[in-house]
Structure formats: structure tokens, C-alpha cells
Amino acid sequence: MAAGHAHVLYREVDSPVHRLPPEVKIAAMVAFTIAVVATPREALWAFGAYALLVVAVAVLARVNARWLLLRSTIELPFVVFAVALPFLGVGERVDVAGLSLSVDGLYGAWNIVAKGTLGVWASLLLAASTTTRDLIVGLDRLRCPQILTQIATFMLRYLDVLVGEARRMRVARISRGDDPRFVWQLRGFAAGVGALFLRAFERGERVYLAMLSRGYTGRMPAVWQGAGAATTGQWLVAATVPVLAGAVAATAVVLT
């Protein structure tokens, strides 16, 4: 468990953002997102300022625009929903390119797309600069409930094991003439899922008992956390973006 477990979004480069402790990056991302969400939707200029902050962090983290935009497609279902709002909204309407659109619906669509996109970008930058293991360590240092960090730790440790087990079970089924592409074979698929659950449950129980026998007390060991807790200077550096975002949000609220 001491190995640095990286995920598919992590970019292994050396940058000032990568070198920051995980807890300050998590706190900064959450504070930035809160500032974005608290901004009135009519303050269009504020979202441009937020985008500039995201671009600045991306440059420091050495994350290129193409990578960021491609991964942002995860929000497409919400964009599709937002596109329908101007047509379904009520109240004052305006003609745009021959289409009668709701003003409130246009603001609602803009609100979803702008805030959702900025939130996705902030999350992607956090994921690109922090390994999954460090994310969990950061949450633990931020006093996240132990039960949540422990569940996440075990999920991280054994997710690949369960995926490999599921793959082997699928190969075994196919080698015996099963073809999961047909609807009438869903019963066999369901039975496989049940068997995988039982194996995972039994494996988890054995691992838990083994950890108890080795002195496990329900908390992450200090060795696993490492000695890289954030200093005051690192907290101040990481606070730059959320403080600026908070100032923009406060100004937008006053002016709107």
C-alpha cells in the first residue's frame, strides 16, 4: 500500500502544482468551486475571470488545452440538458436566429454550462496533478471521516484485483460456450456478478482479519501518510487561486 498508485488522469510531470501537498490542492479546488457556484449567473465577466485562473493553473501544472478539453466531454449529458432550457423555459422571450427562446432559459443554460465546465476543469487539474493515493492522504489530513478514507483506500488497493477476477470469470464462461451478447444469457451474467460479489466479500474479510492480526486500529499508519504535510507557505501559495476567485465572486454579487 505504500506504492504511489496513479490513475488514468494523472500526468506524471514535474511542476509547481504537482509538488504541492495534496491537502492544499483539495482545499483550493473545493473553495474555488464554491466561489464559482456562488457567482450570479448574470455576471458574465466573472466567469471569464475564473477561466483565466484555470488557464493559469493549467500552465503551471503543464497540462495542455487539448488534454483538458478532451476530458471535459464527460459533461456532455448536462450540456444536452442545458441546450433544451431556452426552448422549454417560460417568461420573457427573445428572437435569436428566427427562434423564440426564453430569456430565463438562456440564463439557466449558461449557468449550467459555465459553472459545470469550470468545476470539471478544476477537478481535472486536481486529478492531473495528484495521484489517487495522495488524494486519499490529503483527505485524511483534512480530517475527512476515517470510514470514508478507509473505504477509498481498500477500493484503490483491490479494484484492479476485482477487475482481473471478473476478466478471468468472463474468459472461463466464454471458453465453456457462453456468449454474453445475447439477452437470454443475462441469467448467467447475473450469476457471475453474484459469484464475484461473494468472492470479493470473502477476500475482504480475510484481508481485514489479517490486518487486525498485524495491529490495524482503523486509521492510516503514519508511514503510509508520509512526512510531506503542508507548511504555512504552501497553504498561502495554494490559497492564491481561491482568494482571487472569492474576490471575483464577492464583486459580482455586489455589482449584480
Side-chain angles (χ1 to χ4, degrees):
M1 274 205 268
H5 194 112
H7 49 77
V8 293
L9 295 177
Y10 178 71
R11 294 175 61 84
E12 194 169 353
V13 297
D14 183 30
S15 76
V17 179
H18 283 71
R19 290 193 292 269
L20 285 174
E23 61 269 27
V24 302
K25 290 186 281 187
I26 294 172
M29 189 274 290
V30 172
F32 173 81
T33 304
I34 292 174
V36 171
V37 172
T39 303
R41 62 186 185 180
E42 295 82 6
L44 305 183
W45 63 270
F47 296 99
Y50 295 142
L52 290 178
L53 290 175
V54 171
V55 170
V57 175
V59 171
L60 288 174
R62 297 172 61 184
V63 175
N64 59 66
R66 182 174 180 272
W67 185 93
L68 200 60
L69 293 176
L70 285 177
R71 271 74 182 175
S72 299
T73 54
I74 190 175
E75 66 168 338
L76 282 180
F78 302 97
V79 174
V80 173
F81 171 75
V83 169
L85 290 181
F87 299 95
L88 303 177
V90 296
E92 182 184 355
R93 305 190 75 83
V94 62
D95 290 332
V96 179
L99 299 174
S100 178
L101 304 177
S102 167
V103 174
D104 190 61
L106 286 171
Y107 274 122
W110 161 254
N111 193 51
I112 292 174
V113 173
K115 293 182 179 179
T117 300
L118 289 168
V120 168
W121 285 352
S123 301
L124 286 173
L125 289 176
L126 175 64
S129 60
T130 315
T131 64
T132 311
R133 170 193 176 278
D134 286 342
L135 284 173
I136 298 174
V137 171
L139 290 173
D140 191 63
R141 290 174 180 168
L142 291 172
R143 300 297 186 267
C144 182
Q146 279 292 312
I147 186 65
L148 297 181
T149 56
Q150 292 300 306
I151 290 174
T153 301
F154 289 121
M155 180 185 71
L156 167 65
R157 178 65 181 84
Y158 290 104
L159 182 61
D160 292 338
V161 176
L162 292 179
V163 170
E165 188 76 21
R167 187 179 296 112
R168 288 191 294 272
M169 291 174 63
R170 182 177 182 275
V171 171
R173 286 173 51 205
I174 293 176
S175 66
R176 288 167 174 80
D178 183 53
D179 192 342
R181 293 177 298 177
F182 296 105
V183 177
W184 54 83
Q185 292 181 334
L186 286 177
R187 181 179 178 182
F189 173 77
V193 172
L196 180 63
F197 171 77
L198 291 177
R199 292 187 184 185
F201 183 82
E202 292 172 353
R203 185 191 297 272
E205 188 174 16
R206 291 196 301 269
V207 170
Y208 179 69
L209 292 175
M211 292 176 64
L212 287 179
S213 67
R214 290 166 174 79
Y216 175 69
T217 60
R219 292 192 60 87
M220 289 183 179
V223 175
W224 196 84
Q225 292 185 10
T231 63
T232 302
Q234 289 171 324
W235 276 106
L236 292 176
V237 169
T240 302
V241 171
V243 166
L244 291 175
V248 171
T251 305
V253 170
V254 172
L255 297 180
T256 302

Coordinates of all heavy atoms in Angstrom, one line a residue, residues 165-206:
E165 N -10.2 -10.5 -11.6 CA -11.1 -11.6 -11.2 C -12.3 -11.7 -12.2 O -12.6 -12.8 -12.7 CB -11.5 -11.5 -9.8 CG -12.2 -12.7 -9.3 CD -11.3 -13.9 -8.9 OE1 -10.1 -13.6 -8.7 OE2 -11.8 -15.0 -8.9
A166 N -12.9 -10.5 -12.4 CA -14.0 -10.5 -13.3 C -13.6 -10.9 -14.8 O -14.4 -11.6 -15.5 CB -14.7 -9.1 -13.3
R167 N -12.5 -10.5 -15.2 CA -12.0 -10.8 -16.5 C -11.7 -12.3 -16.6 O -12.1 -12.9 -17.6 CB -10.7 -10.0 -16.8 CG -10.2 -10.2 -18.3 CD -9.0 -9.3 -18.5 NE -9.3 -7.9 -18.4 CZ -8.8 -7.2 -17.4 NH1 -8.0 -7.7 -16.5 NH2 -9.1 -5.9 -17.4
R168 N -11.2 -12.9 -15.6 CA -10.9 -14.3 -15.6 C -12.2 -15.1 -15.7 O -12.4 -16.1 -16.3 CB -10.1 -14.8 -14.4 CG -8.6 -14.3 -14.5 CD -7.8 -15.0 -13.5 NE -8.1 -14.5 -12.1 CZ -7.6 -13.4 -11.5 NH1 -6.7 -12.7 -12.2 NH2 -8.0 -13.1 -10.3
M169 N -13.2 -14.7 -14.9 CA -14.5 -15.4 -14.9 C -15.2 -15.3 -16.2 O -15.8 -16.2 -16.7 CB -15.4 -14.7 -13.8 CG -14.9 -15.0 -12.4 SD -15.9 -14.1 -11.1 CE -17.5 -14.9 -11.4
R170 N -15.0 -14.1 -16.9 CA -15.7 -14.0 -18.2 C -15.0 -14.9 -19.2 O -15.7 -15.5 -20.1 CB -15.5 -12.5 -18.7 CG -16.2 -12.2 -20.0 CD -16.1 -10.7 -20.4 NE -16.7 -10.5 -21.6 CZ -16.1 -10.6 -22.8 NH1 -14.9 -11.0 -22.9 NH2 -16.8 -10.3 -23.9
V171 N -13.7 -15.0 -19.2 CA -12.9 -15.9 -20.1 C -13.4 -17.3 -19.9 O -13.6 -18.1 -20.8 CB -11.4 -15.7 -19.9 CG1 -10.7 -16.8 -20.7 CG2 -11.0 -14.3 -20.4
A172 N -13.5 -17.7 -18.6 CA -14.0 -19.0 -18.3 C -15.4 -19.3 -18.8 O -15.6 -20.4 -19.4 CB -13.9 -19.3 -16.8
R173 N -16.3 -18.4 -18.7 CA -17.6 -18.5 -19.3 C -17.6 -18.7 -20.8 O -18.3 -19.6 -21.3 CB -18.5 -17.3 -18.9 CG -18.9 -17.3 -17.4 CD -19.6 -16.0 -17.1 NE -20.7 -15.7 -18.0 CZ -21.1 -14.5 -18.3 NH1 -20.6 -13.5 -17.7 NH2 -22.2 -14.4 -19.1
I174 N -16.8 -17.8 -21.4 CA -16.8 -17.9 -22.9 C -16.2 -19.2 -23.4 O -16.6 -19.8 -24.4 CB -16.0 -16.7 -23.4 CG1 -16.8 -15.4 -23.2 CG2 -15.8 -16.8 -24.9 CD1 -16.1 -14.1 -23.6
S175 N -15.1 -19.7 -22.7 CA -14.5 -20.9 -23.1 C -15.4 -22.1 -22.9 O -15.2 -23.2 -23.5 CB -13.2 -21.1 -22.2 OG -13.5 -21.3 -20.9
R176 N -16.5 -22.0 -22.2 CA -17.5 -23.1 -22.0 C -18.7 -22.9 -22.8 O -19.8 -23.5 -22.6 CB -17.9 -23.2 -20.5 CG -16.8 -23.7 -19.6 CD -17.1 -23.5 -18.1 NE -16.1 -24.2 -17.3 CZ -14.9 -23.7 -17.0 NH1 -14.5 -22.5 -17.5 NH2 -14.1 -24.3 -16.2
G177 N -18.6 -22.0 -23.8 CA -19.7 -21.8 -24.8 C -20.7 -20.7 -24.5 O -21.6 -20.6 -25.3
D178 N -20.4 -19.9 -23.5 CA -21.3 -18.9 -23.1 C -21.0 -17.6 -24.0 O -19.9 -17.4 -24.4 CB -21.2 -18.5 -21.7 CG -22.2 -17.4 -21.3 OD1 -23.4 -17.6 -21.5 OD2 -21.8 -16.4 -20.7
D179 N -22.1 -16.9 -24.4 CA -21.9 -15.7 -25.2 C -22.7 -14.6 -24.6 O -24.0 -14.6 -24.7 CB -22.4 -15.9 -26.7 CG -21.9 -14.8 -27.6 OD1 -21.6 -13.7 -27.0 OD2 -21.9 -15.0 -28.8
P180 N -22.1 -13.7 -23.9 CA -22.8 -12.7 -23.1 C -23.5 -11.6 -24.0 O -24.2 -10.7 -23.4 CB -21.8 -12.0 -22.2 CG -20.5 -12.3 -23.0 CD -20.6 -13.6 -23.7
R181 N -23.4 -11.7 -25.3 CA -24.0 -10.7 -26.1 C -25.5 -10.9 -26.3 O -26.2 -10.0 -26.7 CB -23.4 -10.8 -27.5 CG -21.9 -10.3 -27.5 CD -21.3 -10.4 -28.9 NE -21.3 -11.8 -29.4 CZ -20.9 -12.2 -30.6 NH1 -20.5 -11.3 -31.4 NH2 -20.9 -13.5 -30.9
F182 N -26.0 -12.1 -26.0 CA -27.4 -12.4 -26.2 C -28.2 -12.2 -24.9 O -27.8 -12.5 -23.8 CB -27.6 -13.9 -26.6 CG -27.0 -14.1 -28.0 CD1 -25.8 -14.8 -28.0 CD2 -27.5 -13.7 -29.1 CE1 -25.2 -15.1 -29.3 CE2 -27.0 -13.9 -30.3 CZ -25.8 -14.6 -30.4
V183 N -29.4 -11.6 -25.1 CA -30.3 -11.2 -23.9 C -30.6 -12.4 -23.1 O -30.7 -12.4 -21.8 CB -31.5 -10.5 -24.4 CG1 -32.5 -10.2 -23.3 CG2 -31.2 -9.3 -25.2
W184 N -30.9 -13.6 -23.7 CA -31.3 -14.8 -22.9 C -30.2 -15.4 -22.1 O -30.5 -16.3 -21.4 CB -31.9 -15.8 -23.9 CG -31.0 -16.2 -25.0 CD1 -30.0 -17.2 -24.9 CD2 -31.0 -15.8 -26.3 NE1 -29.4 -17.3 -26.1 CE2 -30.0 -16.4 -27.0 CE3 -31.8 -14.8 -27.0 CZ2 -29.7 -16.2 -28.4 CZ3 -31.5 -14.6 -28.4 CH2 -30.5 -15.3 -29.0
Q185 N -29.0 -14.8 -22.2 CA -27.9 -15.3 -21.3 C -27.6 -14.4 -20.2 O -26.6 -14.5 -19.5 CB -26.7 -15.6 -22.2 CG -26.9 -16.8 -23.1 CD -25.6 -17.0 -23.9 OE1 -24.8 -16.1 -24.2 NE2 -25.5 -18.3 -24.4
L186 N -28.6 -13.4 -19.9 CA -28.4 -12.5 -18.8 C -28.4 -13.2 -17.5 O -27.8 -12.7 -16.5 CB -29.5 -11.4 -18.8 CG -29.4 -10.3 -19.9 CD1 -30.5 -9.4 -19.9 CD2 -28.1 -9.6 -19.8
R187 N -29.1 -14.4 -17.4 CA -29.1 -15.1 -16.2 C -27.7 -15.6 -15.8 O -27.3 -15.5 -14.6 CB -30.0 -16.3 -16.3 CG -30.1 -17.2 -15.1 CD -31.1 -18.3 -15.3 NE -31.1 -19.2 -14.1 CZ -31.8 -20.3 -14.0 NH1 -32.6 -20.7 -15.0 NH2 -31.8 -21.0 -12.9
G188 N -26.9 -16.0 -16.8 CA -25.6 -16.4 -16.5 C -24.7 -15.3 -16.1 O -23.8 -15.4 -15.2
F189 N -24.9 -14.1 -16.7 CA -24.2 -12.9 -16.3 C -24.5 -12.5 -14.9 O -23.6 -12.1 -14.1 CB -24.6 -11.8 -17.3 CG -24.0 -10.4 -16.9 CD1 -22.6 -10.2 -17.2 CD2 -24.8 -9.5 -16.3 CE1 -22.1 -8.9 -16.8 CE2 -24.2 -8.3 -15.9 CZ -22.9 -8.0 -16.2
A190 N -25.8 -12.6 -14.5 CA -26.2 -12.2 -13.2 C -25.6 -13.1 -12.2 O -25.2 -12.7 -11.1 CB -27.7 -12.2 -13.1
A191 N -25.5 -14.4 -12.5 CA -24.9 -15.4 -11.6 C -23.4 -15.1 -11.4 O -22.9 -15.2 -10.3 CB -25.1 -16.8 -12.1
G192 N -22.8 -14.7 -12.5 CA -21.4 -14.3 -12.4 C -21.1 -13.1 -11.5 O -20.2 -13.1 -10.8
V193 N -22.0 -12.1 -11.6 CA -21.9 -10.9 -10.8 C -22.1 -11.3 -9.3 O -21.4 -10.9 -8.4 CB -23.0 -9.9 -11.2 CG1 -23.0 -8.8 -10.2 CG2 -22.7 -9.3 -12.6
G194 N -23.1 -12.2 -9.0 CA -23.3 -12.7 -7.7 C -22.0 -13.4 -7.1 O -21.6 -13.2 -6.0
A195 N -21.5 -14.3 -8.0 CA -20.3 -15.0 -7.6 C -19.1 -14.1 -7.3 O -18.3 -14.3 -6.4 CB -19.9 -16.1 -8.6
L196 N -19.0 -13.1 -8.1 CA -17.9 -12.1 -7.9 C -18.1 -11.3 -6.6 O -17.1 -11.1 -5.9 CB -17.9 -11.1 -9.1 CG -16.8 -10.0 -9.1 CD1 -15.4 -10.6 -9.1 CD2 -16.9 -9.0 -10.2
F197 N -19.3 -11.0 -6.3 CA -19.6 -10.3 -5.0 C -19.2 -11.2 -3.8 O -18.6 -10.7 -2.9 CB -21.1 -10.0 -4.9 CG -21.5 -9.5 -3.6 CD1 -21.2 -8.2 -3.2 CD2 -22.2 -10.3 -2.7 CE1 -21.5 -7.7 -1.9 CE2 -22.5 -9.8 -1.4 CZ -22.2 -8.5 -1.1
L198 N -19.6 -12.5 -3.9 CA -19.2 -13.4 -2.8 C -17.7 -13.5 -2.7 O -17.2 -13.5 -1.5 CB -19.9 -14.8 -3.0 CG -21.4 -14.8 -2.9 CD1 -21.9 -16.2 -3.2 CD2 -21.8 -14.4 -1.5
R199 N -17.0 -13.6 -3.8 CA -15.5 -13.7 -3.7 C -14.9 -12.5 -3.1 O -14.0 -12.5 -2.3 CB -15.0 -14.0 -5.1 CG -15.3 -15.4 -5.7 CD -14.6 -15.6 -7.0 NE -15.0 -16.8 -7.6 CZ -14.4 -17.3 -8.7 NH1 -13.5 -16.7 -9.3 NH2 -14.8 -18.5 -9.2
A200 N -15.5 -11.3 -3.6 CA -14.9 -10.1 -3.0 C -15.2 -9.9 -1.6 O -14.3 -9.5 -0.8 CB -15.6 -8.9 -3.8
F201 N -16.4 -10.3 -1.1 CA -16.7 -10.3 0.3 C -15.8 -11.2 1.1 O -15.3 -10.8 2.2 CB -18.2 -10.7 0.5 CG -18.7 -10.6 1.9 CD1 -19.1 -9.3 2.4 CD2 -18.7 -11.7 2.7 CE1 -19.5 -9.2 3.7 CE2 -19.1 -11.6 4.0 CZ -19.5 -10.4 4.6
E202 N -15.6 -12.4 0.7 CA -14.7 -13.3 1.4 C -13.3 -12.9 1.4 O -12.6 -12.9 2.4 CB -14.8 -14.7 0.7 CG -16.2 -15.4 0.9 CD -16.3 -16.6 0.1 OE1 -15.4 -16.9 -0.7 OE2 -17.3 -17.3 0.3
R203 N -12.8 -12.3 0.3 CA -11.5 -11.8 0.2 C -11.3 -10.6 1.2 O -10.3 -10.5 1.9 CB -11.1 -11.4 -1.2 CG -9.6 -10.9 -1.4 CD -9.4 -10.2 -2.7 NE -9.7 -11.2 -3.8 CZ -8.8 -12.0 -4.4 NH1 -7.5 -11.9 -3.9 NH2 -9.1 -12.8 -5.4
G204 N -12.3 -9.7 1.2 CA -12.2 -8.6 2.1 C -12.2 -9.0 3.5 O -11.5 -8.4 4.4
E205 N -13.0 -10.0 3.9 CA -13.0 -10.5 5.3 C -11.6 -11.1 5.7 O -11.1 -10.8 6.8 CB -14.1 -11.5 5.5 CG -14.3 -11.9 6.9 CD -15.5 -12.9 7.1 OE1 -15.9 -13.4 6.1 OE2 -15.9 -13.0 8.2
R206 N -11.0 -11.8 4.8 CA -9.7 -12.4 5.1 C -8.6 -11.3 5.2 O -7.8 -11.4 6.1 CB -9.3 -13.4 3.9 CG -10.1 -14.7 3.9 CD -9.4 -15.7 3.0 NE -9.2 -15.2 1.7 CZ -10.1 -15.4 0.7 NH1 -11.2 -16.0 0.9 NH2 -9.8 -15.0 -0.6

